[in-house]
Amino acid sequence: MKGKNLFINELVELFPSLEEELLDEDNSDSITFQMGTFRRFMQAAIDENDRSKFNSMVYFLTKNLPLVDKRIQNAIYINFLGKLDFSKNPSLRKLLGGSLGKAYSDIENYHNYRPY
């Protein structure tokens, strides 16, 4: 099982521009804050239609999701995926792929559920 420190270090290795914010002493103890940083980074890629950066992030998450512990998985789903907005580039949503795409749809359906 991959722990938070290894996961974040690999993320920083792939996206060095995130290092300062991800490893900042105010953020480094909280995977929730770190996933918020990563979400803003991915949201910028979505808004700018940067498919290369977007695909790199999707690949990283798809590869790592089954390897990380439940706490990290929950942060990825709730603090990351659950807060992405594809309204500027809806075509990118399809590039989430199987597991991330399904999780995004499940979260979206949950937020849109109105029993009455």
Side-chain angles (χ1 to χ4, degrees), residues 24-60:
D24 177 82
E25 66 182 45
D26 292 332
N27 293 334
S28 65
D29 287 336
S30 173
I31 190 66
T32 300
F33 291 153
Q34 290 170 318
M35 284 298 96
T37 296
F38 188 42
R39 183 204 49 83
R40 288 188 297 278
F41 187 69
M42 188 155 187
Q43 189 64 57
I46 292 168
D47 293 347
E48 296 163 7
N49 200 27
D50 188 335
R51 289 176 182 259
S52 176
K53 190 185 294 184
F54 181 84
N55 286 333
S56 294
M57 288 182 259
V58 167
Y59 177 76
F60 175 81

Side-chain angles (χ1 to χ4, degrees), residues 14 20 29 38 54 70-71 78 84 94 100 104 111 115:
L14 186 60
E20 185 176 339
D29 287 336
F38 188 42
F54 181 84
K70 290 289 184 197
R71 188 172 59 101
I78 295 167
L84 291 176
K94 294 177 182 135
L100 290 178
Y104 183 84
H111 287 299

